[in-house]
Amino acid sequence: MKYATKNLSDFLELPDRDILAKTRPFYEFTGELVSQEYHHWARILTSPSERRVKILDRYTNEVREMVMMASNNYLGLTTHPAVVEAARKALEKYGAGAGSVPLLGGYLDLHRELEQKLARMKGCEDAVIFSSGYAANVGCVSALVRKGDVVINDRLNHASIIDGCFLSGGTLRTFKHNDLASLEKVLQTTEKHGCNGKLIIVDGVFSMDGDITNLPGIKALADRYHARIMIDEAHATGVIGPNGRGTPEHFNMEGQIDLVAGTLSKALAVVGGFVASSKEVVNYLRFYARSHMFSTALPPAAAGALMAGIDVIQNEPQLRQRLWTNIEYMRTNLQRMGFNLGNSETAIIPIIVGADDLLKKVSREIHRAGIFVNPVYYPAVPKKSSRLRLSLMATHTQEDLDDTLAVLERVGKKYGLI
Ligand code: PMP
């Protein structure tokens, strides 16, 4: 096998006079992965994304059912009747699309109501919607951070935040994951060298590890060193906090975080992103966050569904309770079997495998056994920490969980993971 030791990062820099030349070896690489049954990206679903899905298996060319353990649809709202009905009503009333960017004619009353609802959920004065969580992070950071400013990231922050930092004119610094001493060191160095503004950015729940940021510690340091804080609530909204309002609620710190960003595509199960903050900040972002200003507003059906989804999160706490029952059950059993789950505390449960080669074989076997789990390799996670990434849902049944555990135990034993 020509590309046996290669990974995705090896095809980034392949200088050639033809800028398309790099795509040829990469095409061969992905073909080689398919021939070995190691290609587990972009599996095609022929059903809604629910607790069990039907996929068109690229290895057998047949449609088969799998237990879905790789969805961010934490509360099962993609197919919740109230959410689907609200989408249908909005579609009938407003048609398929918003027709324009929000500033120039694409701003519906539905969008405004959704912003206000999100702001209330996040305990902020106002909110602005983006076409995705990715766009929210890129737009927010690049609008607020300018030349002479410093932006300080947890090392495991999501790619969209890092991309926003690259687009901004500011200086990018990182601190060790969830390590306050490391953050303080960066803040001290920054003070010494001087700068204009400082923005600390963290994920509320980290997307590949499932642990929760130390928000009280971050806030204390931000206050001491006169920095602002932005938090990405992608995997926290609807999951943590007594009412599912996310990380600030979890730590009883609502209203104390300068910028609360998030996605509308995970627990809220549709598409879009938002930033909630003060009236002044939100007003500024409407005009300077380029991914908002230059991008068409969300489709009406999405906005309608999202309004209903926020109501479901508030009015059906039993969904979140069920999710947490499932999380505890899976974590306890996987730990009892002897898997390394890192520091996971939430619906994202990584199973650390380590070497890429081993993960490829393990993933192939799990896929064959009918469990849909994502393998995650470097550069998405640090080197030698390749992993399986499970995401739990409120709608998973006992049978779904037990079927998954049985496969993981069998495969884990076979490959020496436990
Ligand atoms: N932030 C985090 C932490 C995420 O995991 C994701 C989704 N992968 C995003 C932002 C981007 O959200 P979206 O999928 O809505 O663009």
Side-chain angles (χ1 to χ4, degrees), residues 103 128 143 281-290 292-294:
L103 284 188
V128 52
V281 170
V282 167
N283 182 55
Y284 189 87
L285 292 177
R286 285 190 204 287
F287 290 85
Y288 293 97
R290 295 165 70 87
H292 171 78
M293 180 164 174
F294 294 110

Side-chain angles (χ1 to χ4, degrees), residues 101-104 107 111-112 115-116 119 125-130 139 143-144 275 278-294:
V101 300
L103 284 188
L104 304 180
Y107 195 42
H111 294 126
R112 182 62 194 140
E115 287 176 345
Q116 289 168 327
E125 279 180 358
D126 206 349
V128 52
I129 304 171
F130 293 75
L144 296 173
V275 178
S278 68
K279 285 191 294 240
E280 290 85 354
V281 170
V282 167
N283 182 55
Y284 189 87
L285 292 177
R286 285 190 204 287
F287 290 85
Y288 293 97
R290 295 165 70 87
S291 56
H292 171 78
M293 180 164 174
F294 294 110

Side-chain angles (χ1 to χ4, degrees), residues 72 131-137 156-161 203-208 232-235 262-266 270-273 348 389:
N72 301 310
S131 52
S132 67
Y134 183 94
N137 283 337
L156 297 189
N157 278 353
H158 190 258
S160 53
I161 296 171
D203 283 2
V205 169
F206 287 88
S207 57
M208 293 300 158
D232 176 358
E233 289 285 87
H235 299 278
T263 176
L264 304 172
S265 62
K266 302 194 191 294
V270 190
V271 71
I348 299 166
R389 177 181 182 270

Side-chain angles (χ1 to χ4, degrees), residues 73-76 318-324 326 392-397:
N73 177 22
Y74 295 120
L75 299 174
Q318 66 275 19
L319 283 176
R320 201 166 41 262
Q321 282 151 15
R322 177 75 213 181
L323 172 64
W324 278 97
N326 288 350
L392 296 181
M393 293 164 59
T395 45
H396 280 139
T397 62

